[in-house]
Amino acid sequence: MSKKRNTTLKELSKELSLSISTVSRALNDHPDISQSTKERVRKLAKQMNYVPNLFARGFRSRETHILGVIVPNISHLFTSTILKGILEEAELRGYRVIISESNNNEVKQVEMLNTMTQFGVDGVLMSLARKTTNVEEILKILNRIPIVLFDKVSSKIPCTQIVINEEEAAFNAVEHLIELGKQRIAIIKETENSYNSEKRYAGYLRALNQYGIPVRDKLILSTEDISLGNGRRLTNILLSMKKRPDAIFAITDNAAIGAIKALHKFKVKIPEEIAVVGFSNSINSTIVSPALTTVDQPGDKIGRTAVRFLIQELENPTNDVMTKTVEIKTSLIVRDSSLMV
Amino acid sequence: MSKKRNTTLKELSKELSLSISTVSRALNDHPDISQSTKERVRKLAKQMNYVPNLFARGFRSRETHILGVIVPNISHLFTSTILKGILEEAELRGYRVIISESNNNEVKQVEMLNTMTQFGVDGVLMSLARKTTNVEEILKILNRIPIVLFDKVSSKIPCTQIVINEEEAAFNAVEHLIELGKQRIAIIKETENSYNSEKRYAGYLRALNQYGIPVRDKLILSTEDISLGNGRRLTNILLSMKKRPDAIFAITDNAAIGAIKALHKFKVKIPEEIAVVGFSNSINSTIVSPALTTVDQPGDKIGRTAVRFLIQELENPTNDVMTKTVEIKTSLIVRDSSLMV
DNA sequence: AATTTCTATGCAAACGTTTGCACAAACGTT
DNA sequence: AACGTTTGTGCAAACGTTTGCATAGAAATT
């Protein structure tokens, strides 16, 4: 169990009666070294189970080939799907990944960012904590190492940002409802202006405008915490109106499922009386009945793209720090909650 | 953007007209150093934003304070809950965490294990890939660094193993059904003898025996892939019997939800005619209707416990590698699918 | 006053790797 | 035969930290 030391270059060189540098070069396939020597070295290295000490290497070259990832909450399906993409793409490109959680705590987020740079990660992938307002510290760190934001991003931080095309996705969802013949389309969104909520709301408005449907304030409901419970609560409010909506667009699946539960309780027919569309394509959307029409966000693609852009920056360093937004396409998955036959 | 070098001990020492060693000791609170010097050093260190180069440190001390984690699939709620626990506990104890996915691929699993040790992690937390049979490579690595297994474990690997008390959890679930007055309790389990499935099946058998209920082969159904679809399919088989069961215990929530869907289709009353119990307490279990009675597995506790045991081993190294199984308690969450009034 | 003990500090080696430079040996060219 | 070129190898420094040992000066003891 005690940590046996690994074979080192020195040991190899002694065994082969070569210098350390020759052995090092041989293993790194340096052109100066003769073929025969290379083969001898490689053979013995394999035999003696040599593995380079990455610490010594990283220590010298100041490159660790480690990427840091900071997310608000790892046990969230969408997040872990993104992480999956990150892990896969990083591995493919020879990088290792350290993951941390900010727990939606801004202070902790900066702390993690600091220990990660201290640790020597080559770059950081980050999804911002909710209500991140003080970006100063982050900007400081951005001066030292490249950061790529994904999912929860902020225009205040000048760097590459990978997001889904929230606005268009919402537009498509609402357009779909309009094409069903719905005219009084309610939206359930977040109160505080998170990037996502804002964009989705914008898409909602654009769809209504484009199709010449009046925007009715009464049908625009907001909540601090966009949860299943609140989806249900707000739907109850909608049902108590004298003129009920004929469709509900909830900006998260959970809220949409809450809506369905509420509609169920009051025996409202879905989608005939009121159609429902959510956002995320979480597993639950297929479990609820009727199955929920929702926007599929390709999480792993976001992850992969983020890694790709970060590595691109790492390997072609430039000094101009600038905002660059990359939008990942989504698709609308139509299910029973908006399927009119 | 270009990687500015960090402040080093050398720079601090020059500024303070002290030697590097004195500065180092001052920062590490060595008793040899006078209070006044310590304060001077600390002050400047803070001012110049000094952070120790962890690579140089780890390189020298051969301790990285990094734990490696290998899981079959990160985007699985239970897994990511465990990861959450691991991250929290590790952070609390000053360790960082590198996560990798084996994708249930045995070869890749060993590969990851190798690159992790090469990288210099102090220890590894691992949940085994499905059908892990060739443990030889793993045993080799176990000789070099400590490993703690969790969730998907194997008795062939002599190390600490953190699992939930599968058998007892299943026993409690079935006992609960018996107490409802159910007598013909079917089980939906896995064909291949995975650790989890086997234990849960054992709990089922023990409960029946203890209450003197005959075990009927016809009510014991197995499937390769314990999915929602297969839960539905097997339930259809149960419904086609001349003597139907009066309860179904599915060893995963997904299979249980499949069962509920099937029962729904045939208008079987849940739980009056047939009660259903699942296993996992996944989010879906509250979304399906009726809400599913299920076994809650405290994922974060598993994660925290695993970290605790690993660090314990790291900090008190012993040479005796031995199996030690730690069981985490579960609890049965009773919901509508088995709630008889 | 001479000695010992203590306190605070500095020197230098070590960790394993990479790499600029030097340099022998072998070869090719006049 | 003398010179330049190429090829393969080795020397030694560097990265930033920790730490055993040495030591200078102060304080305490004789």
Side-chain angles (χ1 to χ4, degrees), chain A residues 3 55 66 87 96-99 119, chain B residues 64-72 82-83 86-87 90 94-102 109 111-128 141 145-150 303 306-311 314:
Chain A
K3 222 163 184 171
F55 264 79
I66 304 181
L87 286 176
R96 228 154 305 284
V97 172
I98 288 190
I99 299 177
F119 182 77
Chain B
T64 58
H65 269 223
I66 304 180
L67 306 181
V69 178
I70 303 177
V71 294
I82 295 177
L83 287 177
I86 290 177
L87 286 177
Y95 281 76
R96 228 154 304 286
V97 172
I98 288 191
I99 299 177
S100 275
E101 268 187 326
S102 68
Q109 171 172 271
E111 216 170 83
M112 310 262 50
L113 210 46
N114 269 320
T115 70
M116 282 198 169
T117 54
Q118 172 185 175
F119 181 77
V121 295
D122 288 350
V124 172
L125 298 160
M126 178 153 85
S127 181
L128 293 176
I141 294 165
I145 63 169
I147 299 178
V148 166
L149 296 180
F150 61 89
V307 169
R308 238 171 269 154
F309 275 87
L310 182 57
I311 292 181
L314 289 175

Side-chain angles (χ1 to χ4, degrees), chain A residues 129-307:
Chain A
R130 209 184 303 153
K131 302 192 198 174
T132 296
T133 52
N134 183 5
V135 296
E136 239 177 77
E137 285 290 324
I138 299 179
L139 293 179
K140 249 191 234 168
I141 294 164
L142 185 55
N143 276 327
R144 319 195 95 252
I145 63 168
I147 299 178
V148 166
L149 296 179
F150 61 89
D151 192 28
K152 306 281 188 258
V153 304
S154 160
S155 54
K156 288 187 209 151
I157 303 173
C159 66
T160 303
Q161 329 227 345
I162 318 290
V163 292
I164 63 159
N165 196 331
E166 309 271 358
E167 200 267 354
E168 189 181 319
F171 176 88
N172 290 339
V174 176
E175 183 179 45
H176 163 70
L177 290 172
I178 296 172
E179 282 170 351
L180 289 180
K182 302 298 189 181
Q183 290 282 321
R184 301 181 57 82
I185 302 172
I187 182 171
I188 297 180
K189 67 181 190 68
E190 274 181 295
T191 310
E192 65 171 286
N193 287 332
S194 75
Y195 178 90
N196 307 42
S197 179
E198 211 172 306
K199 290 286 182 183
R200 292 175 196 178
Y201 180 49
Y204 166 82
L205 292 178
R206 182 160 69 87
L208 294 189
N209 285 332
Q210 186 157 325
Y211 284 88
I213 297 176
V215 176
R216 292 175 222 273
D217 284 353
K218 284 207 158 183
L219 298 181
I220 298 167
L221 301 184
S222 302
T223 167
E224 274 282 326
D225 171 33
I226 186 91
S227 61
L228 195 150
N230 274 323
R232 187 194 305 241
R233 189 176 58 79
L234 293 179
T235 303
N236 287 335
I237 294 178
L238 288 172
L239 290 179
S240 68
M241 295 179 177
K242 27 190 184 301
K243 270 203 101 175
R244 285 180 176 179
D246 53 13
I248 299 176
F249 171 49
I251 69 157
T252 70
D253 273 0
N254 270 342
I257 289 169
I260 288 180
K261 296 264 176 196
L263 295 178
H264 228 66
K265 184 153 185 194
F266 288 93
K267 309 239 188 276
V268 177
K269 274 187 193 141
I270 308 171
E272 292 78 1
E273 294 178 53
I274 300 185
V276 180
V277 173
F279 205 113
S280 284
N281 193 23
S282 59
I283 300 187
N284 315 333
S285 56
T286 62
I287 302 239
V288 71
S289 72
L292 181 65
T293 293
T294 184
V295 175
D296 182 51
Q297 305 168 280
D300 66 325
K301 192 164 177 196
I302 295 180
R304 304 189 98 101
T305 308
V307 169

Side-chain angles (χ1 to χ4, degrees), chain A residues 20-72:
Chain A
I20 295 182
S21 27
T22 302
V23 176
S24 169
R25 278 189 262 256
L27 291 172
N28 290 327
D29 209 16
H30 192 101
D32 272 3
I33 306 297
S34 72
Q35 203 53 38
S36 61
T37 307
K38 279 186 190 169
E39 270 158 27
R40 262 194 343 129
V41 173
R42 285 195 197 124
K43 193 174 161 202
L44 185 71
K46 186 156 214 172
Q47 191 184 313
M48 291 183 63
N49 218 333
Y50 169 80
V51 280
N53 180 324
L54 293 190
F55 264 79
R57 183 182 281 177
F59 165 47
R60 191 170 197 292
S61 67
R62 210 169 296 296
E63 268 188 16
T64 58
H65 269 223
I66 304 181
L67 306 180
V69 179
I70 303 177
V71 294

Side-chain angles (χ1 to χ4, degrees), chain A residues 1-6 51-56 58-59 62 64 66 73-77 80-81 83-84 87-88 91 96-99 101 103 108 111-112 115 118-122 143-146 228 257 261 283-284 286-289 313 318-319 321, chain B residues 1-6 51-56 58-59 62 64 66 73-77 80-81 83-84 87-88 91 96-99 101 103 108 111-112 115 118-122 142-146 228 257 261 283-284 286-289 318-319 321:
Chain A
M1 180 79 53
S2 65
K3 222 163 184 171
K4 285 186 215 121
R5 283 176 53 268
N6 282 328
V51 280
N53 180 324
L54 293 190
F55 264 79
F59 165 47
R62 210 169 296 296
T64 58
I66 304 181
N73 182 350
I74 189 179
S75 65
H76 185 292
L77 187 71
S80 62
T81 312
L83 287 177
K84 200 183 179 69
L87 286 176
E88 281 170 1
E91 202 213 334
R96 228 154 305 284
V97 172
I98 288 190
I99 299 177
E101 266 187 326
N103 276 319
K108 197 161 170 198
E111 215 171 84
M112 310 261 50
T115 70
Q118 172 185 175
F119 182 77
V121 296
D122 288 351
N143 276 327
R144 319 195 95 252
I145 63 168
L228 195 150
I257 289 169
K261 296 264 176 196
I283 300 187
N284 315 333
T286 62
I287 302 239
V288 71
S289 72
E313 275 179 42
T318 56
N319 278 314
V321 180
Chain B
M1 180 78 55
S2 64
K3 222 163 185 173
K4 285 186 216 123
R5 283 176 53 268
N6 282 329
V51 280
N53 180 323
L54 294 191
F55 264 79
F59 165 47
R62 209 168 298 295
T64 58
I66 304 180
N73 182 350
I74 189 178
S75 63
H76 184 293
L77 186 72
S80 63
T81 312
L83 287 177
K84 199 182 179 70
L87 286 177
E88 281 170 1
E91 202 213 335
R96 228 154 304 286
V97 172
I98 288 191
I99 299 177
E101 268 187 326
N103 277 318
K108 196 161 171 196
E111 216 170 83
M112 310 262 50
T115 70
Q118 172 185 175
F119 181 77
V121 295
D122 288 350
L142 185 54
N143 276 327
R144 319 195 97 253
I145 63 169
L228 196 149
I257 289 169
K261 296 264 177 196
I283 300 187
N284 315 334
T286 63
I287 304 244
V288 72
S289 74
T318 56
N319 277 315
V321 180

